[in-house]
Amino acid sequence: MAKPIIVANWKNFPHSLPEARALLKSLSKKKALFAKTGFFIAPPAPYLELVSQSFARPASQDLPMETQAPQTGALSPEILKSFGVRLAILGHSERRALGESSQEVADKVKASLKAGITPLVCVGERSRDADGEYFSALEEQIIGSLAGLSKKEAEKIMVAYEPVWAIGKSAGEAIEPQDLSEALLFVKKVLSDRFGRKSAEKVPLLYGGSVEPRNARALLESGVSGFLVGHASLNAKAFQGIVEALFEK
Ligand code: PGA
């Protein structure tokens, strides 16, 4: 089996460089454990250098849309690459909540591929309804966020299924493994219909939304290729607990 992919999404934490350094130091005590995974940390940009010098691979939490024009406040793919970034989280629900559209996500996916950075495209419904109507919103989001991609390009992306209602809660409020299996099948079907089965099969599907030590193993067994971990990745003990759970005999 391929190594599970674990991406720590630090969002806008920890609050200071010394805290980030201390967190990395604690995590590095379990370096050998993390080495059993494809391990990335997506820190706030000012901590990229620190992460790039650690045992983790650095990832970006976003990317600018392609432009040659000067853009105050933006980072370029070239800057990110110079810190070793080869993976970018795109279309996270917290960015979509700020107004990022699926078309903008699709443009960033293109720019990312062009720059040689693997896009990790986040999709997920805001809420669920008993009639399953959320499936059509999810489908629309997937298709929209991958608009304009060729089959060959689609084979180079990763997708994170992150139901918005399950983000930032606790394991008890996260998705149930059987619901995750169902959602994964749906995402795979949408990708297959759009890009063909052969290409769709090459896309690793991650899950994100309140992954903690006590639900990690069962969620992995639902067939995901790995996890995008938010709050638990900021707590060394909890984060190690997640990875340990994946390899428990
Ligand atoms: P969470 O965040 O693990 O805190 O739910 C996941 C994410 O937002 O990517």
Side-chain angles (χ1 to χ4, degrees):
M1 200 184 116
K3 283 183 176 183
I5 300 160
I6 304 291
V7 184
N9 180 8
W10 279 5
K11 307 190 180 183
N12 45 332
F13 302 103
H15 287 312
S16 70
L17 184 61
E19 285 172 85
R21 197 173 280 131
L23 176 57
L24 275 174
K25 200 170 161 207
S26 304
L27 292 173
S28 70
K29 290 185 191 138
K30 296 276 171 143
K31 217 163 45 186
L33 174 68
F34 284 101
K36 294 201 235 169
T37 71
F39 183 50
F40 295 84
I41 295 178
Y47 306 154
L48 273 173
E49 183 173 10
L50 179 72
V51 172
S52 71
Q53 291 164 350
S54 78
F55 67 102
R57 279 181 275 177
S60 176
Q61 297 180 14
D62 191 23
L63 264 194
M65 279 185 277
E66 201 181 8
T67 172
Q68 297 305 319
Q71 230 181 53
T72 301
L75 291 166
S76 68
E78 290 72 26
I79 295 173
L80 294 165
K81 280 176 76 176
S82 75
F83 285 95
V85 168
R86 295 292 180 275
L87 177 79
I89 300 170
L90 298 178
H92 189 280
S93 59
E94 287 155 9
R95 300 211 59 81
R96 292 183 191 263
L98 293 173
E100 186 168 83
S101 67
S102 288
Q103 183 57 56
E104 281 165 343
V105 177
D107 291 344
K108 290 180 176 185
V109 171
K110 281 269 192 190
S112 179
L113 287 168
K114 198 167 162 195
I117 296 177
T118 300
L120 172 55
V121 187
C122 301
V123 296
E125 73 280 0
R126 304 209 135 267
S127 56
R128 290 197 161 195
D129 54 283
D131 301 329
E133 279 178 27
Y134 60 89
F135 278 123
S136 36
L138 181 58
E139 176 169 16
E140 210 174 293
Q141 198 185 46
I142 299 169
I143 303 278
S145 304
L146 304 179
L149 283 199
S150 67
K151 286 187 184 190
K152 280 270 157 282
E153 286 172 323
E155 291 172 10
K156 298 194 182 113
I157 68 165
M158 298 202 249
V159 169
Y161 170 63
E162 294 211 307
V164 183
W165 53 267
I167 292 180
K169 305 262 175 64
S170 66
E173 293 165 282
I175 198 164
E176 291 297 330
Q178 74 213 48
D179 292 338
L180 178 56
S181 302
E182 186 190 48
L184 289 176
L185 277 180
F186 182 75
V187 175
K188 275 185 197 159
K189 183 181 178 317
V190 173
L191 292 175
S192 259
D193 290 349
R194 171 70 181 75
F195 298 108
R197 206 167 123 209
K198 252 175 86 188
S199 298
E201 271 170 2
K202 299 205 169 126
V203 179
L205 296 185
L206 275 56
Y207 167 77
S210 301
V211 178
E212 293 184 349
R214 71 190 157 105
N215 62 354
R217 177 64 178 255
L219 291 174
L220 186 77
E221 284 168 359
S222 306
V224 283
S225 300
F227 296 123
L228 183 51
V229 185
H231 64 272
S233 73
L234 292 154
N235 176 317
K237 214 170 148 234
F239 201 18
Q240 288 158 8
I242 288 175
V243 181
E244 261 154 11
L246 304 184
F247 297 101
E248 255 161 31
K249 293 259 156 56

